[in-house]
Amino acid sequence: GDSVTQMEGPVTLSEEAFLTINCTYTATGYPSLFWYVQYPGEGLQLLLKATKADDKGSNKGFEATYRKETTSFHLEKGSVQVSDSAVYFCALSASGSGGGADGLTFGKGTHLIIQP
Amino acid sequence: GAVVSQHPSWVICKSGTSVKIECRSLDFQATTMFWYRQFPKQSLMLMATSNEGSKATYEQGVEKDKFLINHASLTLSTLTVTSAHPEDSSFYICSASGTQGAQPQHFGDGTRLSIL
C-alpha cells in the first residue's frame, strides 16, 4: 500500500538557520503531495501542496518540490523563526486530486523546535 | 479560510458507554468528510470516508459496528464510538472537503478520548 516516510524528530535549530525536513513516499499511480503543520494546541493546517511532478509548492517561506524520480517531497525554509516551531506532517493523496477526494496517507510527523 | 469545528475536544468516560463526536464545517459545504485516528507518536490513520447522504466507507480493520459514522447533512458528520473500552482511547480527528475533492481537506482540532 501507499506510505510516507519522514525524518523523525525532534529537530532543534537556532533561529535563522536553514531547514530541511525529508519526506519520501511510495505510491502506485500519480499521487498529490502535501505538507501540513500543527501548531501547539491547534489542528492541522495545510502548508503547501503539489499535484504533479516538478511542481513546487510554497507558502510562508517554505518550499517543497515534487520529485518523481526520487519519490521525494522535502520541505525547506531558508531562515526559520521561533514561530515556526510546530509538528510538520508530509502526506499524499493517492487519487492525485486536490486532496479532498480520498483519505490522506500521512507520515509520522516531525517535531520542529526553533530556539532564539 | 475554511473552518472545521470538532466537539468535544476532550472526553473521559467509563468503559461500556457510547461516545459521540461531532464534526462541523462552519463556512462551506462538505461533500466529503474523513475520520482519522492518531496514536501517540504515530501518524494519522484513516478510519473511514463519508459522503453526505451515503453510508461511510471504512478502511480495512476498522469495525463499522464499533465506530458508527453518520453524515446526514453537508455541514455535519458524527462519529459514535459504541460500547467504548480502554483500547479505544485515542485522538480522533475529522476533516472535510468540498467541491467534490478538488480542494484540500480542512481539519478539526481533534478529540482526545479516554476510556476508564
Side-chain angles (χ1 to χ4, degrees):
Chain A
D2 299 339
S3 67
V4 174
T5 302
Q6 60 181 107
M7 57 193 297
E8 296 194 23
V11 173
T12 303
L13 296 173
S14 297
E15 205 165 21
E16 298 184 2
F18 184 87
L19 168 71
T20 299
I21 300 178
N22 291 335
C23 171
T24 57
Y25 68 90
T26 57
T28 55
Y30 301 94
S32 296
L33 302 174
F34 305 85
W35 277 100
Y36 279 84
V37 58
Q38 186 174 31
Y39 297 104
E42 300 182 14
L44 276 75
Q45 301 174 27
L46 178 66
L47 181 60
L48 53 84
K49 69 173 184 177
T51 57
K52 61 183 187 296
D54 300 325
D55 268 1
K56 177 186 284 188
S58 62
N59 186 24
K60 299 181 181 180
F62 291 90
E63 293 183 341
T65 301
Y66 189 145
R67 301 288 188 197
K68 193 172 189 303
E69 64 275 14
T70 55
T71 62
S72 65
F73 192 54
H74 304 321
L75 183 67
E76 297 182 336
K77 186 175 185 181
S79 176
V80 293
Q81 305 299 313
V82 172
S83 57
D84 294 326
S85 299
V87 181
Y88 293 80
F89 292 90
C90 185
L92 71 81
S93 168
S95 68
S97 67
D102 58 346
L104 299 177
T105 299
F106 283 89
K108 290 186 177 182
T110 301
H111 186 192
L112 175 65
I113 301 170
I114 307 300
Q115 297 177 334
Chain B
V3 177
V4 174
S5 174
Q6 191 171 338
H7 178 80
S9 57
W10 191 24
V11 58
I12 302 174
C13 61
K14 294 181 179 180
S15 183
T17 59
S18 293
V19 179
K20 179 183 285 188
I21 302 170
E22 292 187 349
C23 180
R24 295 181 183 272
S25 58
L26 298 185
D27 54 358
F28 68 102
Q29 293 187 325
T31 50
T32 308
M33 285 186 166
F34 305 88
W35 289 94
Y36 296 83
R37 184 173 180 177
Q38 185 180 26
F39 292 100
K41 298 187 178 182
Q42 298 294 318
S43 62
L44 284 73
M45 301 298 294
L46 180 67
M47 298 175 66
T49 302
S50 71
N51 293 295
E52 185 266 340
S54 303
K55 288 185 177 180
T57 301
Y58 291 81
E59 295 299 298
Q60 191 173 10
V62 178
E63 300 177 59
K64 60 180 65 176
D65 294 331
K66 159 69 76 174
F67 300 100
L68 301 179
I69 292 171
N70 183 278
H71 189 170
S73 77
L74 285 171
T75 59
L76 174 64
S77 176
T78 60
L79 168 67
T80 301
V81 184
T82 62
S83 187
H85 289 92
E87 59 266 28
D88 299 322
S89 299
S90 192
F91 194 58
Y92 294 88
I93 305 171
C94 73
S95 70
S97 68
T99 61
Q100 305 301 325
Q103 297 300 319
Q105 297 173 34
H106 301 281
F107 285 80
D109 288 349
T111 296
R112 172 114 8 236
L113 175 61
S114 297
I115 308 299
L116 304 178

